[in-house]
């Protein structure tokens, strides 16, 4: 394992693939180049991971949530549990980072710390945890609990992550010596038992997983409200965000970097990666036809679920050809609702226009064009200081992801905007982040 990647000759973008299969677009699964059989399809996941590694991607990323039902987004109705899937994928890959979402509202720090430390070992230092607070109240049903309000969810998340970090630092890096001659499996003095007492969690014991290759898994944060950004500034190595306007994306980027510096961190210690859904055709005409076909295949009830959830209010009673109604701020997903309303007002969208945009990319950037046009857009955003990289959201898998890897990545590489090959082995290496050192303890 190398501890730090070789610096590239110029700043290069990072790329993740956000795997919401069979497709991010509500109608994506019906495309002839989408795989749907044998669901949940492990071979498809293996195919995507192999393609991502062939394309020298930084990471394979799995979102997660707890709701299911006929009218949910087709890609969330039935799926693998993220950590078990990533452990399986670790066996057939050697470089690609493996990122999973885990909720701080519906789990215990010990379970999460243990799962990600194990994945980091299994994968040789490629694990990342997307720290989410779980936005929707309906997620609480399977836990038989009340869904906490937005501010409290973030207060819980702060404690949760702190407890995990202490757990990950339980053991020295070289604790497990296996000294058969001396009869010592672990080195004396190498364990520090965490002692954490917060308002929501208490931890008075150590993690029974040796310290992992990256020290701590890479931490991703994906909430863009004020409290979400504040949490990111304190703990994140990567910030996922939804942005669809260059000026606003730059403002978000600058604001995030300023907050990092206020926390005593460097601007490059956390990378900002907006989501992007490229619809790729060999010609502009073909790309437009693919997009039109996807839109024809939208299930209206499913798309309304996605739209109403993102806005925090039921949109089905409103006339589709009228303006987008004002919606009060809710306790669910504050930043995304604000982003969508802002986009609707800026572009003078009807509710129908917004319905289609959200059914496609849920408010993320949505370019439709040729490989060169897609590469141009990513370059423009990257060079304008709006992003350190992108979290790719193909409308359907594997067709549109393969198209990106085979047709867009080579253009980015030719322009020197993306790596031609991996220079390290861990996800921290790929992202240009240092390994997490264990704090010096004096109280062994
Ligand atoms: C790219 C991206 C991916 C996300 N993935 C998940 C996810 O998998 N599960 C989840 O519960 N929330 C996910 N979120 C939502 C956020 O974690 C957060 O709960 C939500 O944005 C509400 O917080 P906010 O009001 O601070 O933005 C994601 C957000 C973004 C931008």
């Amino acid at each position: 394992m190398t501890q730090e990647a070789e610096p590239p000759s110029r700043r290069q973008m990072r790329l993740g693939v956000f795997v919401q299969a069979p497709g991010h677009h509500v109608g994506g699964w019906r495309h002839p180049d989408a795989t749907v059989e044998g669901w949940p399809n492990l071979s498809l996941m293996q195919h995507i991971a192999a393609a991502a590694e062939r394309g020298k991607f930084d990471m394979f990323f799995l979102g997660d949530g707890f709701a299911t039902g006929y009218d949910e987004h087709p890609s969330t109705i039935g799926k693998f549990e993220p950590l078990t899937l990533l452990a399986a994928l670790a066996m057939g890959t050697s470089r690609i980072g493996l990122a999973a979402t885990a909720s701080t509202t519906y789990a215990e720090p010990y379970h999460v710390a243990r799962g990600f430390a194990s994945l980091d070992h299994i994968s040789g230092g490629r694990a990342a945890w997307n720290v989410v607070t779980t936005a929707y109240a309906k997620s609480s049903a399977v836990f038989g609990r009340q869904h906490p309000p937005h501010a409290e969810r973030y207060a819980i998340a702060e404690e949760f992550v702190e407890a995990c970090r202490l757990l990950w630092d339980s053991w020295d890096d070289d604790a497990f010596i296996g000294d058969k001659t001396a009869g010592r499996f672990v080195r004396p003095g190498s364990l520090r038992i965490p002692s954490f007492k917060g308002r929501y969690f208490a931890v008075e014991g150590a993690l029974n997983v040796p310290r992992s290759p990256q020290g701590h898994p890479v931490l991703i944060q994906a909430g863009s409200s004020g409290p979400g950004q504040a949490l990111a500034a304190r703990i994140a190595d990567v910030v996922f965000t939804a942005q669809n306007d260059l000026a606003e994306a730059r403002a978000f980027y600058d604001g995030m970097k300023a907050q990092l510096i206020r926390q005593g961190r460097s601007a490059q210690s956390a990378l900002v990666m907006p989501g992007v859904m490229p619809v790729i055709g060999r010609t502009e005409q073909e790309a437009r036809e693919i997009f039109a076909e996807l839109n024809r295949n939208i299930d209206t009830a499913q798309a309304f679920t996605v739209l109403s959830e993102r806005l925090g209010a039921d949109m089905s009673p409103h006339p589709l050809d009228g303006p987008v109604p004002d919606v009060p701020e809710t306790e669910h997903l504050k930043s995304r609702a604000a982003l969508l309303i802002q986009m609707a007002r800026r572009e003078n969208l009807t509710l129908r226009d917004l319905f289609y945009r959200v059914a496609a990319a849920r408010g993320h950037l949505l370019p439709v064009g040729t490989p060169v046009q897609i590469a141009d857009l990513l370059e423009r955003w990257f060079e304008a200081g709006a992003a350190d990289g992108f979290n790719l959201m193909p409308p359907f898998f594997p067709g549109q992801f393969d198209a990106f890897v085979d047709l867009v990545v080579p253009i980015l590489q030719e322009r020197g905007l993306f790596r031609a090959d991996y220079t390290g082995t861990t996800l921290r290496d790929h992202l240009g982040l240092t390994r997490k050192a264990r704090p010096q303890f004096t109280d062994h």
Side-chain angles (χ1 to χ4, degrees):
M1 184 188 68
T2 50
Q3 293 209 349
E4 259 176 281
E6 298 249 323
S9 54
R10 64 174 291 186
R11 180 176 165 251
Q12 292 188 322
M13 64 175 71
R14 319 293 173 186
L15 290 175
V17 54
F18 183 170
V19 182
Q20 193 168 297
H24 278 275
H25 193 292
V26 169
W29 70 275
R30 294 177 64 188
H31 192 277
D33 294 336
T35 295
V36 289
E37 51 285 341
W39 208 251
N41 188 317
L42 181 59
S43 316
L44 173 65
M45 296 296 160
Q46 290 167 318
H47 174 100
I48 297 167
E53 202 160 74
R54 177 161 49 85
K56 315 300 176 196
F57 267 56
D58 292 85
M59 62 183 138
F60 176 110
F61 165 71
L62 291 170
D64 198 34
F66 311 109
T68 187
Y70 298 114
D71 291 343
E72 295 293 324
H73 190 296
S75 298
T76 63
I77 294 176
K79 56 190 176 182
F80 288 105
E81 187 285 315
L83 275 180
T84 40
L85 175 61
L86 293 185
L89 296 178
M91 299 294 88
T93 54
S94 62
R95 289 289 193 278
I96 186 82
L98 301 166
T101 295
S103 171
T104 52
T105 304
Y106 296 104
E108 281 289 322
Y110 182 82
H111 293 131
V112 169
R114 191 185 194 196
F116 282 90
S118 282
L119 181 65
D120 207 39
H121 279 290
I122 289 168
S123 62
R126 295 185 282 140
W129 169 24
N130 180 37
V131 180
V132 301
T133 58
T134 302
Y136 308 119
K138 66 182 177 185
S139 305
S140 64
V142 287
F143 300 99
R145 287 197 229 156
Q146 281 280 324
H147 191 57
H150 191 271
E152 190 174 16
R153 293 202 300 276
Y154 275 111
I156 295 170
E158 295 271 356
E159 276 194 13
F160 196 112
V161 175
E162 195 185 335
C164 288
R165 291 168 130 182
L166 290 170
L167 285 162
W168 287 322
D169 291 334
S170 296
W171 293 97
D172 265 346
D173 285 309
D174 58 356
F176 287 75
I177 48 176
D179 187 339
K180 292 185 176 176
T181 314
R184 289 208 170 109
F185 189 58
V186 293
R187 189 170 51 72
S190 60
L191 172 63
R192 181 175 187 268
I193 296 180
S195 175
F196 176 80
K197 187 138 188 58
R199 201 169 143 214
Y200 304 99
F201 304 105
V203 177
E204 295 288 344
L207 195 68
N208 60 354
V209 183
R211 202 157 190 279
S212 76
Q214 295 186 104
H216 295 183
V218 168
L219 293 186
I220 304 169
Q221 210 283 329
S224 293
S225 63
Q229 290 183 40
L231 176 65
R234 279 191 286 277
I235 62 115
D237 301 303
V238 174
V239 179
F240 280 167
T241 179
Q243 304 290 334
N244 53 44
D245 176 78
L246 183 54
E248 280 165 28
R250 285 181 62 181
F252 178 85
Y253 184 95
D254 290 344
M256 205 58 250
K257 300 290 178 176
Q259 289 192 56
L260 288 172
I261 289 162
R262 280 203 294 280
Q263 288 291 328
R265 302 177 60 191
S266 79
Q268 281 312 304
S269 63
L271 307 173
V272 176
M273 296 176 65
V276 55
M277 177 188 283
V279 180
I280 308 163
R282 278 162 301 182
T283 61
E284 262 186 76
Q285 174 69 12
E286 187 184 57
R288 276 199 296 270
E289 280 165 15
I290 293 171
F291 192 44
E293 183 181 351
L294 291 170
N295 287 337
R296 278 195 300 276
N297 286 336
I298 289 173
D299 175 295
T300 308
Q302 290 173 336
F304 264 118
T305 301
V306 177
L307 178 65
S308 300
E309 277 178 2
R310 290 322 186 265
L311 288 177
D314 184 10
M315 287 296 116
S316 52
H318 296 279
L320 269 177
D321 290 312
V324 176
D326 282 321
V327 291
E329 200 182 64
T330 71
E331 287 299 315
H332 300 286
L333 208 139
K334 292 188 191 288
S335 64
R336 191 68 60 86
L339 175 102
L340 294 174
I341 295 292
Q342 220 168 345
M343 176 174 78
R345 302 285 177 255
R346 188 178 61 235
E347 300 185 35
N348 207 13
L349 302 181
T350 62
L351 188 57
R352 186 185 302 278
D353 298 329
L354 190 63
F355 171 93
Y356 279 110
R357 296 270 189 101
V358 174
R362 306 191 295 281
H364 290 269
L365 190 59
L366 176 54
V368 179
T370 63
V372 169
Q373 288 171 326
I374 303 296
D376 287 348
L377 177 107
L378 299 183
E379 177 169 6
R380 201 157 55 247
W381 275 53
F382 180 65
E383 296 296 2
D388 294 311
F390 301 92
N391 198 21
L392 208 76
M393 303 166 53
F396 55 87
F397 290 93
Q400 283 280 296
F401 183 52
D402 289 342
F404 188 90
V405 168
D406 295 331
L407 304 176
V408 182
V409 167
I411 300 171
L412 298 173
Q413 289 170 326
E414 211 166 279
R415 295 179 186 178
L417 287 164
F418 188 58
R419 68 171 67 85
D421 203 352
Y422 294 108
T423 52
T425 58
T426 71
L427 179 54
R428 285 183 184 275
D429 290 340
H430 306 337
L431 297 173
L433 301 169
T434 48
R435 183 176 188 272
K436 207 81 180 169
R438 186 172 184 252
Q440 293 296 313
F441 298 119
T442 50
D443 56 348
H444 280 317

